[in-house]
Amino acid sequence: MGQLIISIGREFGSGGHEIAEKLAKHYDMPLYDHNLLDKIAEERNLNSEELKSYDEVQDGVFHRRVRGMSSSMTEHVAQLQFDYLKEKANAGESFVVVGRCSETVLKDKGLIAIFVNGDKDQKVARVSKKYELSESQAADLMKKKDRARKMYHNINCDSKWGDSRNYELVINSSKLGVDKSVQMLIQYIDARVANR
């Protein structure tokens, strides 16, 4: 089949992560998400918990840039992940990656970029069940998580988070459910690979 890289962007509660897991399992490929920092820490002898404390968060303060280098740990941790993904792609590896601005970072690597969204009521129900929250707590958590993802993406990329022009496919998982969405995506991915 050759190299296959699938990028999954997603709204919180859309089932995007579960879809990514199922695609990775179907194609027997590694899944990179928050586990990226464990792998980076292991390879570079760094503290993964410290790295995670700066992952996809905002510093809340201004940082200086000198010759393209930033004093922001959040920016440094983001760049570590971007570089790791590029190294894997340049080595010819196939993988599924969730978030991490991958649709932008790897856009010249021939990846298939997908964004998963969903209907608010179904996302609230999913988050409420998964985290044992009331509907209002789930809705608040969704808003907080999506705001953080949007800010992280928009700070690190020229493009805007969730803008359909950044992805080759945008799917509302509420319409078919997770499993049928995965089946449809597999058909699409297989057709794309066959058409190379």
Side-chain angles (χ1 to χ4, degrees), residues 12 127 131 133 136-146:
F12 192 75
V127 171
Y131 297 99
L133 299 171
S136 64
Q137 289 172 320
D140 288 345
L141 181 61
M142 279 170 36
K143 187 184 267 186
K144 178 182 172 187
K145 291 286 193 178
D146 280 346

Side-chain angles (χ1 to χ4, degrees), residues 5-9 78-79 81-83 85-86 89 95 97-115 149-150 152-168:
I5 302 173
I6 302 169
S7 162
I8 305 287
Q79 194 60 52
Q81 293 178 85
F82 302 159
D83 291 344
L85 291 171
K86 287 177 187 173
F95 54 87
V97 57
V98 178
R100 273 71 198 158
C101 300
S102 52
E103 85 292 337
T104 301
V105 171
L106 301 174
K107 69 181 171 186
D108 62 343
K109 305 298 179 191
L111 82 160
I112 297 173
I114 299 163
F115 191 85
R149 287 176 181 172
K150 181 178 183 179
Y152 172 84
H153 186 281
N154 293 354
I155 284 171
N156 289 294
C157 304
D158 292 333
S159 59
K160 300 298 182 195
W161 180 78
D163 184 336
S164 63
R165 291 168 292 190
N166 301 325
Y167 310 91
E168 79 181 71

